[in-house]
Amino acid sequence: MSASVAVYRNIYTEDRFKQAYGTDDNTSGSLRLREKITGGCRCSKRACLHLLKERVPIFSWLPRYRLKKWILGDTIAGLTVGILHIPQGMAFALLTSVAPIFGLYTSFFPVVLYMFFGTGRHVSTGTFAVVSLMTGSVVEQLVPSPLDMNSSSPEAAEFEGQRIGVASAVALLSGIIMLCMCGLQLGFLSTYLSEPIVKAFTSAAAFHVTISQLQNMLGLRLPRHTGTFSLFKTLASVMENLPHTNMAELLISLVCLAVLVPVKEINMRYRQRLRTPIPVEILTVIIATGVAYASSLDSTYDIEIVGHIPAGFPSPRMPSLHTFPDIAGDTIAITFVGYAVSVSLAMIYADKHGYSIHPNQELLAHGVSNTVSSFFTCFPSSATLATTNILESAGGFTQLSGLFTSLVVLIVLLLIGPLFYFLPKAVLACINVTSLRQMFLQFQDLPELWKVSKMDFMVWVVTWLSVVILNVDLGLAIGVVFSMMTVICRTQRAGCSVLGRASNTEIYRPVENHSKCYEVPGVKILTYNGPIYYGNRSFFREEISRLLGLTPEKIRNREKARKALEKREREATVNTVESCIANTSFSSENEFFKSETSESDVQAVLIDCSSVIFVDVAGARLFTQMCTECQKVGVHVYLANCNESVLKILTSSGLMNFMSPQHIFVTVHDAVMYIQQQKEKPQENSTTVWV
């Protein structure tokens, strides 16, 4: 079914349109500012209640909780995730280079706190492999592990205290940074870690995690390497010490992998049919602990076990504040990674289930979680990929599932923890490696990413290679810088096109892509698809000069010809007065314009600013230079589709001293109609446009 549209209206310049439809910007702006200030300073019971619900979301969603509809799903999902938190918490503590009990603490406190302050209904917080790995690198740098220390000696307890002191200091500083970012409303900074960066970073970090766990899986007692090329240093060290492999721990690792990998695959493939996933991790931990205890594997085959896990609640303890200067740089990277992953996961499930999250509130939630939990010997936490996915697939509805998750972990802390004394560390290493399945599978996105955007594909590859080859922190920084450079390069080399009109319409499209759109005779319509600022002003000038054929020589020659013609006009005017003959051959600017140029020459330049999102001072000065150069060759400059900010900067920079306000139009078609009517009826002021 075809339809047509016809419009008959006045030609609108920007000034005329504002007079007809605009408002007083200064008045409305001052009123809005006054209302905002008075509204923010107003103190009332209603305002305080609103602030409380906004900053502590549990007071908002808990009164509206649908008990009969949601409680079963939240209970099952929370208990399922809690069971998974136990082995993963102890396993990720190995990545952090601290005792397993601290992983259980980190699986408890942040979960409870996020339930009160978080806005993600399906987000599961706790230990995360990448954050634990980055924290472990900081711990190893400041408190390197001696190879000959007896795990039961008093020195070992003091050594563990130093390590968790550093790890909790990282958590405290990370929480403080997040709280400061929340106060400054900097939640948008997470957008600088784009999806290709996050996926490439986590995928590459999975390789670091896997390589770092090889020594535990093989029973090797090796120092942990940090800094640049740490992955290759660790791999070389493992290969060099392969003859010293503990065969018992190797056998344990192979058996665990043979169990964990297939069952996890079953959980993934049949997750729609399974009400809850098979808790293979906790089952493996229980069975391995029982076998190790019954067979005395630690004394018989010298395998490394978890050791003493104290029962009870941890006592508050001050982190190692004196390490702040040494950990500041690494903590900033850890903070951004943890926050970016957490917000990305929250947004994914919020979009899926039709609700919204608030990035700044997420900063507050994770900031409070890390700050408070750091005083209870916890290392940095964030949202986790595996448990969040399980929480959603198990039927969780709200943050209340975190209550049941924390109850499971609390029971283990108070009662069951000491029973894991004989758990082999090789089992925890296998759990670490198999938990990275989703990160390794992100390679499957590369073919689709190549089809959609070659530039994003390059960002993915550069980030991945940087993280793998160099280091986690440095690789992430390189990925962010490279991603921002691609954005800058794309704005610097934005295309400049010539627009043509589709016959009998007001539609204008680039002529190189639309063969049936034709240029308006005597008018060169140009569009630039990007901002005009100091970084690309030279490129913009070159493109405009190329499309208009403006060279310095041509400008000088045309300026000389114009001055000579003006001189002849003055002489002709004097002769006309003396002979009392009305000579109007050069009575108007348009007649002079026609006499100087042929019908095929460019007589007017119209710049479509619809894609120019902003202009800086350098770009505004460039517009002024273009106006003066075009005036020298007798070409008029017109603008159309300028947004308010661009128009304000151009006006403030003095462009109106070189260009008439009547040459700035609301649309391209308004400008074209005006130019054509000026050419056809120079003595009339036609103000209508017909499409």
Side-chain angles (χ1 to χ4, degrees):
M1 180 179 178
S2 61
S4 60
V5 59
V7 179
Y8 185 76
R9 62 170 175 80
N10 293 332
I11 294 176
Y12 284 115
T13 63
E14 283 287 348
D15 286 345
R16 187 172 181 181
F17 187 82
K18 285 183 179 179
Q19 291 174 5
Y21 300 102
T23 57
D24 188 347
D25 293 337
N26 293 330
T27 303
S28 62
S30 61
L31 286 175
R32 286 195 298 269
L33 180 61
R34 189 181 308 145
E35 290 175 358
K36 197 170 184 179
I37 293 175
T38 56
C41 297
R42 188 180 297 117
C43 183
S44 65
K45 182 178 179 181
R46 184 176 180 181
C48 292
L49 186 61
H50 174 73
L51 180 63
L52 179 65
K53 290 182 177 181
E54 186 179 25
R55 293 307 178 194
V56 190
I58 191 172
F59 293 114
S60 176
W61 59 261
L62 190 58
R64 295 182 282 108
Y65 188 83
R66 301 179 184 178
L67 187 65
K68 294 182 179 180
K69 185 177 180 180
W70 293 344
I71 189 62
L72 181 61
D74 283 341
T75 302
I76 294 175
L79 294 177
T80 304
V81 172
I83 292 172
L84 182 62
H85 264 308
I86 297 166
Q88 282 200 357
M90 293 190 292
F92 291 159
L94 293 183
L95 290 176
T96 318
S97 297
V98 296
I101 184 61
F102 301 118
L104 294 178
Y105 296 156
T106 310
S107 299
F108 174 76
F109 290 100
V111 175
V112 175
L113 292 167
Y114 186 84
M115 180 180 66
F116 283 90
F117 296 96
T119 58
R121 302 177 190 174
H122 300 85
V123 172
S124 173
T125 58
T127 56
F128 181 46
V130 177
V131 173
S132 297
L133 177 70
M134 297 175 72
T135 307
S137 298
V138 179
V139 173
E140 288 289 344
Q141 289 176 14
L142 297 182
V143 191
S145 56
L147 300 179
D148 55 350
M149 180 176 291
N150 186 356
S151 59
S152 60
S153 63
E155 292 81 5
E158 182 182 354
F159 174 74
E160 286 295 339
Q162 293 176 0
R163 288 199 150 193
I164 191 57
V166 173
S168 58
V170 174
L172 175 60
L173 185 56
S174 176
I176 293 173
I177 293 173
M178 288 187 182
L179 292 176
C180 292
M181 291 172 64
C182 175
L184 297 173
Q185 301 291 294
L186 297 180
F188 68 91
L189 289 179
S190 64
T191 57
Y192 288 104
L193 292 179
S194 63
E195 183 179 343
I197 291 178
V198 173
K199 288 189 173 182
F201 171 76
T202 53
S203 179
F207 279 86
H208 280 272
V209 173
T210 302
I211 298 301
S212 69
Q213 294 304 292
L214 286 179
Q215 62 184 39
N216 290 318
M217 296 169 67
L218 298 175
L220 301 175
R221 313 296 189 263
L222 303 175
R224 183 167 172 176
H225 296 278
T226 59
T228 55
F229 310 109
S230 59
L231 185 143
F232 301 101
K233 293 176 182 177
T234 303
L235 189 59
S237 180
V238 169
M239 297 298 292
E240 183 180 351
N241 289 273
L242 274 180
H244 305 293
T245 300
N246 187 317
M247 300 307 296
E249 291 192 82
L250 175 60
L251 182 61
I252 292 173
S253 300
L254 293 176
V255 172
C256 288
L257 291 176
V259 173
L260 290 170
V261 173
V263 177
K264 279 181 168 287
E265 189 67 26
I266 292 173
N267 284 339
M268 184 59 62
R269 291 194 178 187
Y270 299 100
R271 58 183 174 182
Q272 302 297 333
R273 300 183 184 179
L274 295 172
R275 185 66 181 88
T276 59
I278 302 172
V280 62
E281 289 92 348
I282 191 64
L283 293 176
T284 304
V285 166
I286 294 172
I287 295 172
T289 303
V291 172
Y293 171 74
S295 306
S296 301
L297 295 179
D298 57 323
S299 58
T300 306
Y301 297 100
D302 193 28
I303 67 168
E304 194 171 6
I305 59 175
V306 167
H308 175 62
I309 296 180
F313 215 64
S315 301
R317 175 180 172 180
M318 184 66 69
S320 301
L321 302 181
H322 65 278
T323 61
F324 273 12
D326 300 319
I327 65 176
D330 295 300
T331 303
I332 292 174
I334 293 171
T335 302
F336 272 90
V337 170
Y339 174 62
V341 171
S342 301
V343 171
S344 299
L345 280 174
M347 286 184 173
I348 288 172
Y349 289 102
D351 293 340
K352 182 177 180 180
H353 293 275
Y355 62 90
S356 61
I357 68 144
H358 307 288
N360 285 307
Q361 181 61 29
E362 289 296 295
L363 272 174
L364 177 64
H366 291 287
V368 170
S369 297
N370 280 291
T371 301
V372 175
S373 61
S374 67
F375 293 100
F376 293 92
T377 59
C378 295
F379 50 86
S381 63
S382 71
T384 63
L385 294 175
T387 55
T388 298
N389 184 33
I390 291 174
L391 179 67
E392 191 265 345
S393 61
F397 289 100
T398 67
Q399 297 94 317
L400 191 64
S401 59
L403 174 64
F404 302 101
T405 298
S406 57
L407 286 176
V408 173
V409 180
L410 181 62
I411 292 172
V412 174
L413 286 174
L414 297 178
L415 302 174
I416 307 176
L419 300 179
F420 294 119
Y421 181 92
F422 290 97
L423 174 62
K425 287 188 177 181
V427 176
L428 297 179
C430 292
I431 292 174
N432 274 332
V433 173
T434 55
S435 68
L436 305 172
R437 178 184 182 277
Q438 286 179 288
M439 300 184 193
F440 286 121
L441 290 180
Q442 290 174 351
F443 280 99
Q444 296 176 350
D445 299 336
L446 285 179
E448 184 67 23
L449 190 61
W450 173 262
K451 294 178 184 178
V452 174
S453 173
K454 306 285 191 302
M455 193 66 72
D456 285 338
F457 178 87
M458 289 300 300
V459 170
W460 200 103
V461 172
V462 169
T463 304
W464 189 89
L465 290 175
S466 301
V467 174
V468 169
I469 295 174
L470 297 176
N471 192 21
V472 176
D473 304 342
L474 184 58
L476 176 63
I478 292 175
V480 172
V481 171
F482 182 78
S483 177
M484 296 179 69
M485 289 299 297
T486 61
V487 175
I488 294 173
C489 291
R490 278 183 276 191
T491 60
Q492 281 187 318
R493 294 292 174 177
C496 190
S497 306
V498 178
L499 299 183
R501 181 185 178 188
S503 300
N504 300 321
T505 71
E506 84 291 0
I507 300 172
Y508 296 81
R509 290 291 184 269
V511 294
E512 64 266 24
N513 299 329
H514 301 81
S515 59
K516 294 185 179 180
C517 290
Y518 304 100
E519 293 188 56
V520 178
V523 182
K524 185 72 74 172
I525 308 174
L526 306 177
T527 184
Y528 189 71
N529 300 316
I532 302 173
Y533 65 108
Y534 69 94
N536 66 353
R537 65 188 299 271
S538 299
F539 176 77
F540 176 71
R541 184 189 181 100
E542 292 172 3
E543 286 290 290
I544 295 293
S545 300
R546 178 182 63 82
L547 294 173
L548 296 178
L550 291 179
T551 60
E553 294 79 10
K554 184 176 181 180
I555 294 174
R556 285 194 296 268
N557 294 336
R558 294 290 293 274
E559 186 178 12
K560 290 179 181 178
R562 185 177 63 84
K563 290 181 179 179
L565 195 57
E566 288 176 349
K567 184 178 180 181
R568 291 199 300 271
E569 181 185 4
R570 288 194 298 269
E571 293 175 354
T573 302
V574 172
N575 293 334
T576 300
V577 173
E578 290 178 353
S579 59
C580 298
I581 299 174
N583 186 348
T584 59
S585 55
F586 295 99
S587 59
S588 71
E589 183 182 350
N590 291 288
E591 288 297 323
F592 164 72
F593 198 61
K594 289 183 178 179
S595 66
E596 176 61 19
T597 58
S598 64
E599 187 67 24
S600 60
D601 288 339
V602 176
Q603 302 167 5
V605 175
L606 171 58
I607 300 177
D608 176 17
C609 299
S610 58
S611 298
V612 180
I613 56 176
F614 73 88
V615 175
D616 68 351
V617 175
R621 289 175 181 169
L622 181 60
F623 270 96
T624 303
Q625 295 174 7
M626 286 172 46
C627 285
T628 57
E629 291 179 358
C630 288
Q631 288 172 0
K632 290 179 181 179
V633 298
V635 176
H636 296 281
V637 177
Y638 299 84
L639 302 179
N641 289 323
C642 294
N643 65 50
E644 291 292 333
S645 62
V646 169
L647 193 58
K648 183 178 180 180
I649 293 176
L650 293 178
T651 303
S652 302
S653 66
L655 180 64
M656 296 303 106
N657 297 331
F658 303 89
M659 180 180 182
S660 171
Q662 301 304 314
H663 286 186
I664 303 177
F665 292 87
V666 174
T667 69
V668 172
H669 196 57
D670 283 274
V672 171
M673 291 294 99
Y674 176 84
I675 295 170
Q676 289 182 333
Q677 290 175 7
Q678 288 295 98
K679 290 170 59 179
E680 295 170 359
K681 300 178 181 180
Q683 299 300 327
E684 300 179 8
N685 187 19
S686 178
T687 60
T688 58
V689 55
W690 170 258
V691 179

